[in-house]
């Protein structure tokens, strides 16, 4: 009995000795290095944080936390550690063979490693949570990855003078000509990704590129006063390099709390616009307005997410207004992320209302439709299948490519001013406004009305043996 107690005490002293050298792993990690590499590879392809997390087998909350902790910045981890270090697969083999009571030299021979490498691995990375020093691959990998970190102090952390210069140019106080500070609006930072239609903090707001390129001008002989604009961005976005407070992102022009990966930026907001449906692919006959049946469309937006669709024919200037009522459930509960578009102008609602208006027209009057790049026409392929109407999208920030529609939208603002709720108008009332526009004589039509010009086209089609619209 005394021998047994002495053996137990020796083992406890050994455990205490090793515990003093090897800290407890604490809460086990949810993924290893290769998992994080796969996560950021999925982000680089344009996947959301939730989808990238599910792809590697962790919860969506973990993926969101990784993305926010990194500020949306890919840490650029190497796909695998150097071959001189043990991999996780090798550690799993060590754990299995150790459980089979194989010796250090036999394990080293099977792995083609030095016996001293295996001996150090068993001594350094053993589990510290049991009364005996058991070797577990997951715990050993945690220890190895923790030791491999070599965080280099950020330049803005170590150089206080440089940090003060950057922070003053980025978030300095606005001053009047007499030097008195101008406070501006009270705009607390709430961590949102973009400020939307709300007051923003007033600051000097130099861009990181302006700051980085101004430093050599202000300090031509001081090499320590140099920093790249990317280092400033990382100091703002990446928590582990947080020399600057995170809320200072509100002083950037975009005001983003997180950086947007390039693949995501390419997918938004025109991910539904492919090369085949660009306006450059539209038939040349649509440009000269000699052939009817080419239309332009857009939305006019009002308060409380209300909208009216506008569609105008290029040659006759005939206008159709689309009634877009709210969907059931709008305003009755909290908004759901990625839920249905209940405001009335989602992709499905626009597809249905456009299909219903164009399906009854003669084929010669539904040749093409040119739209802005809004996501309300994301289901344009289904609309083309249903109606035979070819859909094209204008180039970004090019409203003149839909000049006829823009002109009509300007006329409609006489009846539906900006800043008013458009959902209060019924279908009949909107149709009455469209009738009023179509009854106005137009100089470009030789003072004929759009209704008269369209009627002439219908008569020509009827004489050619084509049925008219009801």
């Amino acid at each position: 009995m005394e021998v047994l107690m002495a053996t137990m005490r020796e083992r406890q002293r050994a455990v205490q000795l090793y515990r003093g050298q090897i800290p407890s792993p604490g809460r086990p990690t949810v993924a290893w290095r290769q998992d994080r590499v796969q996560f950021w590879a999925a982000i680089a392809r344009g996947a959301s944080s939730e989808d990238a997390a599910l792809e590697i087998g962790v919860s969506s909350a973990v993926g969101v936390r990784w993305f926010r902790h990194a500020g949306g910045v890919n840490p650029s981890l190497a796909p695998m550690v150097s071959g001189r270090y043990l991999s996780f697969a090798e550690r799993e083999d060590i754990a299995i063979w150790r459980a089979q009571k194989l010796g250090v030299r036999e394990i080293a021979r099977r792995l083609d490693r030095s016996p001293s490498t295996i001996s150090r691995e068993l001594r350094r990375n053993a589990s510290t949570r049991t009364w005996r020093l058991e070797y577990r691959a997951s715990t050993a990998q945690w220890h190895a990855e923790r030791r491999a970190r070599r965080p280099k102090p950020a330049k803005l952390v170590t150089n206080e003078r440089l940090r003060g210069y950057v922070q003053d140019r980025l978030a300095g106080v606005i001053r009047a000509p007499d030097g008195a500070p101008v406070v501006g609006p009270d705009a607390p930072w709430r961590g949102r990704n973009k400020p939307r239609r709300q007051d923003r903090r007033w600051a000097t707001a130099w861009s990181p590129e302006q700051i980085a390129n101004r430093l050599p001008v202000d300090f031509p002989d001081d090499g320590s006063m140099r920093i790249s604009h990317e280092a400033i961005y990382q100091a703002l976005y990446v928590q582990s390099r947080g020399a600057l407070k995170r809320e200072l992102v509100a002083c950037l022009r975009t005001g983003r709390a997180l950086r947007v990966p390039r693949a995501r930026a390419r997918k938004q907001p025109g991910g539904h616009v492919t090369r085949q449906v660009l306006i450059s692919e539209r038939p040349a006959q649509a440009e000269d307005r000699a052939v009817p049946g080419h239309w332009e469309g857009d939305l006019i937006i009002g308060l409380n997410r209300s909208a009216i669709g506008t569609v105008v024919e290029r040659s006759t200037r005939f206008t159709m207004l689309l009634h877009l009522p709210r969907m059931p459930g709008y305003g009755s509960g909290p908004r759901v992320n990625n839920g249905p578009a209940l405001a009335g102008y989602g992709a499905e609602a626009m597809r249905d209302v456009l299909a219903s208006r164009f399906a009854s027209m003669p084929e010669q009057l539904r040749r093409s439709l040119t739209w802005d790049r809004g996501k309300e026409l994301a289901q344009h392929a289904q609309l083309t299948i249903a109606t035979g109407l070819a859909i094209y999208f204008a180039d970004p920030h090019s409203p003149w490519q839909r000049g006829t529609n823009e002109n009509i939208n300007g006329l409609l603002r006489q009846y539906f001013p900006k800043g008013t709720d458009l959902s209060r108008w019924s279908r009949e009332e909107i149709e009455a406004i469209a009738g009023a526009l179509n009854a106005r004589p137009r100089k470009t039509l030789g003072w004929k009305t759009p209704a008269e010009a369209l009627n002439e086209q219908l008569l020509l089609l009827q004489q050619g043996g084509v049925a008219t619209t009801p």
Side-chain angles (χ1 to χ4, degrees):
M1 187 64 179
E2 293 180 357
V3 175
L4 178 60
M5 293 298 295
T7 304
M8 293 285 291
R9 284 193 295 271
E10 290 178 1
R11 288 179 176 176
Q12 288 175 357
R13 282 196 297 270
V15 169
Q16 292 172 358
L17 175 63
Y18 281 113
R19 280 181 176 172
Q21 299 174 356
I22 305 174
S24 170
R27 182 178 182 180
T29 183
V30 296
W32 305 122
R33 182 190 186 92
Q34 59 266 32
D35 297 318
R36 292 177 182 262
V37 169
Q38 294 174 8
F39 172 82
W40 286 104
I43 294 293
R45 295 195 303 270
S48 66
S49 305
E50 294 84 352
D51 293 340
L54 295 177
E55 183 176 320
I56 66 170
V58 300
S59 69
S60 58
V62 170
V64 172
R65 186 164 62 247
W66 285 351
F67 189 84
R68 290 190 64 84
H69 180 78
V73 181
N74 189 337
S76 300
L77 297 171
M80 58 186 301
V81 296
S82 170
R84 61 179 290 200
Y85 301 108
L86 291 172
S87 66
F88 183 54
E90 289 177 313
R91 288 189 170 94
E92 287 182 323
D93 290 337
I94 293 175
I96 293 173
W97 291 330
R98 189 64 173 171
Q100 295 174 355
K101 307 301 183 184
L102 296 183
V104 169
R105 293 187 177 276
E106 176 61 19
I107 295 175
R109 185 187 64 80
R110 293 189 180 188
L111 288 179
D112 194 22
R113 294 280 189 174
S114 168
S116 60
T117 298
I118 307 303
S119 176
R120 283 194 300 269
E121 174 69 16
L122 293 173
R123 184 174 71 253
R124 292 176 178 175
N125 296 339
S127 170
T128 61
R129 288 195 148 193
T130 57
W131 69 277
R132 67 167 62 91
L133 294 176
E134 295 178 347
Y135 183 84
R136 297 179 181 176
S138 58
T139 303
Q141 184 70 18
W142 182 89
H143 281 301
E145 291 187 0
R146 177 181 55 81
R147 289 196 185 95
R149 295 174 188 157
R150 297 292 186 271
K152 181 181 178 181
K155 194 170 186 179
L156 289 177
V157 174
T158 58
N159 192 331
E160 185 176 353
R161 184 183 177 206
L162 178 61
R163 182 173 68 251
Y165 180 93
V166 171
Q167 187 161 321
D168 183 65
R169 269 63 182 176
L170 180 68
V173 177
I174 297 291
R175 296 187 180 277
D178 60 357
V182 180
V183 179
D186 182 17
W189 189 72
R190 296 182 176 88
R192 293 179 180 174
N193 197 32
K194 286 185 185 178
R196 298 181 183 273
R197 298 176 183 262
Q198 60 187 12
D199 288 334
R200 294 188 59 181
R201 174 180 176 178
W202 285 11
T204 47
W206 287 24
S207 71
E209 186 177 12
Q210 289 170 332
I211 297 173
N213 287 280
R214 182 67 185 184
L215 278 166
V217 177
D218 291 345
F219 304 96
D221 300 324
D222 190 350
S224 66
M225 296 295 287
R226 301 287 187 274
I227 193 170
S228 69
H229 64 276
E230 179 61 25
I232 299 175
Y233 278 119
Q234 291 199 14
L236 290 169
Y237 286 115
V238 184
Q239 292 182 13
S240 59
R241 306 183 68 83
L244 302 176
K245 294 181 179 179
R246 188 71 175 272
E247 56 263 28
L248 295 186
V249 296
C251 300
L252 298 175
R253 251 172 227 126
T254 61
R256 292 192 185 99
L258 299 170
R259 296 185 86 172
V260 180
R262 291 181 179 177
R264 288 189 186 177
R266 285 194 294 266
K267 291 175 65 176
Q268 298 177 353
H272 59 288
V273 180
T274 60
R275 181 174 299 178
Q276 293 77 15
V277 295
L278 294 177
I279 194 172
S280 58
E281 302 297 323
R282 191 175 65 176
Q285 64 176 342
E287 191 66 30
D288 57 13
R289 304 176 188 269
V291 179
H294 297 284
W295 302 76
E296 297 175 2
D298 195 9
L299 297 176
I300 58 174
I301 306 296
L303 287 183
N304 303 321
R305 299 178 62 82
S306 59
I308 295 175
T310 65
V311 182
V312 57
E313 205 276 319
R314 283 177 57 83
S315 64
T316 65
R317 277 64 171 185
F318 185 84
T319 301
M320 295 188 300
L321 297 185
L322 310 176
H323 183 234
L324 303 172
R326 300 269 171 71
M327 306 293 285
Y330 178 84
S332 60
R335 292 180 59 187
V336 179
N337 289 337
N338 300 319
L342 302 179
Y345 54 95
E348 294 183 1
M350 290 301 302
R351 177 202 63 197
D352 294 340
V353 69
L354 286 171
S356 66
R357 298 301 294 268
F358 280 100
S360 59
M361 289 185 181
E363 183 178 351
Q364 290 84 347
L365 286 184
R366 43 186 169 92
R367 302 177 188 272
S368 74
L369 172 63
T370 304
W371 202 269
D372 197 9
R373 292 208 167 199
K375 287 189 176 181
E376 64 271 7
L377 224 64
Q379 296 195 10
H380 59 87
Q382 294 87 331
L383 178 61
T384 299
I385 294 173
T387 63
L389 188 69
I391 309 296
Y392 300 98
F393 292 92
D395 294 329
H397 313 296
S398 304
W400 59 87
Q401 295 178 342
R402 305 170 12 266
T404 305
N405 182 240
E406 290 291 328
N407 176 263
I408 292 297
N409 289 348
L411 297 178
L412 285 171
R413 286 302 185 183
Q414 180 179 353
Y415 303 97
F416 309 115
K418 293 182 179 181
T420 60
D421 189 349
L422 304 182
S423 64
R424 55 181 170 163
W425 306 116
S426 66
R427 183 188 305 273
E428 291 74 18
E429 292 168 326
I430 291 175
E431 293 287 352
I433 297 298
L437 289 180
N438 292 326
R440 286 186 183 183
R442 304 294 296 272
K443 180 179 180 179
T444 188
L445 299 176
W447 302 110
K448 290 186 292 188
T449 67
E452 292 170 345
L454 182 65
N455 189 54
E456 290 180 2
Q457 296 294 336
L458 290 174
L459 289 176
L460 291 175
L461 294 176
Q462 189 176 21
Q463 291 173 3
V466 179
T468 61
T469 58

